[in-house]
Amino acid sequence: MKNLISFFILLAVSGCKKTPETPANYDFKINTSRSIGTSTLVLKSISDSRCPINADCISAGGVRAFFKLTTDNTDREITLCKGVCGPLESSTTIKIDGINYSLKLINVTPYPQLQKSDNTQTVKVELTRT
């Protein structure tokens, strides 16, 4: 009888385990959007002050990605940054359909180069349910 009670307790406790969510990766170019649930996330602009490849710079610089999240006819401006960013972070928490998500800036490519300014940049973000 003790073994049977222990089994049911173990079964109940193991059923409460939270399974980790698999992050979703999204690539954005300026003015592209992605639907996430009933919300829309749009990359509005990029500000890239990273030190170009083969350049001598005083600072490594940073890159900022400016997004607009539209949820229930409400717009929220989101700025994510990698590198030298001051108080800005590379991730933030957003709420979509009543669920909290972490939105994290993974990368902005291509990396700046000297003598090249006509690159179309791509921003990669990771969305994870928290």
Side-chain angles (χ1 to χ4, degrees):
M1 184 68 165
K2 275 186 175 180
N3 289 339
L4 188 58
I5 293 172
S6 297
F7 172 74
F8 283 114
I9 291 172
L10 181 63
L11 184 63
V13 170
S14 66
C16 295
K17 268 188 183 174
K18 187 175 180 182
T19 56
E21 290 287 328
T22 304
N25 291 317
Y26 297 98
D27 291 332
F28 288 88
K29 293 190 184 327
I30 292 179
N31 292 322
T32 59
S33 64
R34 299 281 185 257
S35 294
I36 304 165
T38 59
S39 299
T40 303
L41 185 64
V42 179
L43 176 64
K44 299 306 289 177
S45 64
I46 301 167
S47 174
D48 197 345
S49 66
R50 295 176 292 180
C51 183
I53 296 171
N54 298 324
D56 292 323
C57 302
I58 295 172
S59 169
V63 62
R64 291 175 176 84
F66 300 91
F67 292 92
K68 180 174 76 171
L69 177 67
T70 303
T71 305
D72 299 324
N73 295 322
T74 304
D75 292 341
R76 175 180 169 196
E77 302 295 324
I78 299 170
T79 303
L80 300 176
C81 185
K82 284 190 71 89
V84 179
C85 300
L88 292 175
E89 299 285 334
S90 64
S91 65
T92 191
T93 301
I94 59 175
K95 187 174 270 196
I96 299 172
D97 300 332
I99 300 169
N100 287 329
Y101 291 88
S102 171
L103 180 66
K104 181 177 182 181
L105 178 60
I106 301 299
N107 201 5
V108 177
T109 56
Y111 202 87
Q113 296 182 25
L114 292 174
Q115 308 300 324
K116 280 193 168 185
S117 62
D118 59 328
N119 293 329
T120 301
Q121 291 180 301
T122 302
V123 173
K124 179 180 282 267
V125 295
E126 178 183 272
L127 187 68
T128 307
R129 187 174 176 171
T130 57

